[in-house]
Amino acid sequence: MADTNYTGSMVSEFIIVGFPGLQDREVKAILFAVFLTVYLLILLGNLLLICILAADRHLHTPMYLTICSLAIINITFCTNTVPTMLAVFRSTSYSVSFSACFTQTYFFLALVSTESYNLLLMAYDRYMAICHPLHYPARMTVRFTLQLIGVCWLGGLLTPTLPFSLAFTKRFCGPNRVLQCFCDYSGVLRLACGDVLLISYVVLFVGLSVLLIPLFFIVLSYVKILLSVGRAKAVSTCSSHLLVISVFYLTTAGVFISYRIPGTSVDMRVMGSVIHNVFPALMNPIIYCLRTKEIRGSLVKSLNKNSIFPGSK
């Protein structure tokens, strides 16, 4: 009998396949180079955003604290999965231990949940600032905002508890090939022995709740903002937030739809998951640096202050 672990499973490791239809060495080398570049840009962009927000005391406000939290989520989220993708593209066969695979899956679900809650907090902050400007300074203090951010992170870390408790009641006795570029919960759950239909419904319910309930209140917040100040001012004031929210939910919806459309190739599903992993984290710092006047101004000021060209100061 194969070695067992503390869950009573007969599987001691999982093989991460990557793109089943793209196993050619030259293609995998190109994918490695592309995603290594993207990962470095994600780290650079989000770290730059965090440094700008930390260095400028004028940006130590509730709105920018939530943006800083989002940047930390982006870095953590990609660091949880992208190194595994790179290892898969670099090797002919990449395996990961049972416990490491489930740990990665846990943090993947936890960080997606945390990002959803953080986006809701950002929408609430804009709603209070625009619709209740007189009460905003008293209610949305820096301390209270940090407490709300902590609640978002704690809620995100607790959200996967039920799906994982159910998954650990199942035995994994083979096969052990995960058709993804990282340890994806649904991909791993399909490898469990026995009926997982009930668990799948529970996971679907939890996932939709985590995404749709915050989305409902986000939409409600922006509808109230729109009715309060008019379309033009609402767009000019909240355009960055709306773009970030749209990128997150559209990529998430793309992954969900790809698994629900019959006949969708495995490679397309994997590509959808990969885009969901890297695209929001890549775009968020670009959106905020280009479309938020205060962040853009602080960045330009920092560049001019540290410029080696005297004439640019």
Side-chain angles (χ1 to χ4, degrees), residues 16-24 27-28 31 35 85 88-89 178-181 266-275:
I16 312 299
V17 176
F19 292 94
L22 301 175
Q23 294 296 313
D24 184 74
V27 174
K28 293 178 75 171
L31 290 173
F35 283 99
M85 297 183 196
V88 170
F89 298 146
V178 180
L179 300 179
Q180 265 293 354
C181 290
V266 175
D267 285 327
M268 287 297 295
R269 291 173 179 170
V270 174
M271 179 58 73
S273 297
V274 169
I275 291 174

Side-chain angles (χ1 to χ4, degrees), residues 303-313:
L303 292 175
N304 289 336
K305 182 178 179 180
N306 296 289
S307 176
I308 62 174
F309 301 104
S312 64
K313 293 183 180 182

Side-chain angles (χ1 to χ4, degrees), residues 175-190:
N176 65 341
R177 292 170 61 85
V178 180
L179 300 179
Q180 265 293 354
C181 290
F182 56 94
C183 287
D184 172 65
Y185 183 88
S186 60
V188 173
L189 187 62
R190 290 190 184 93

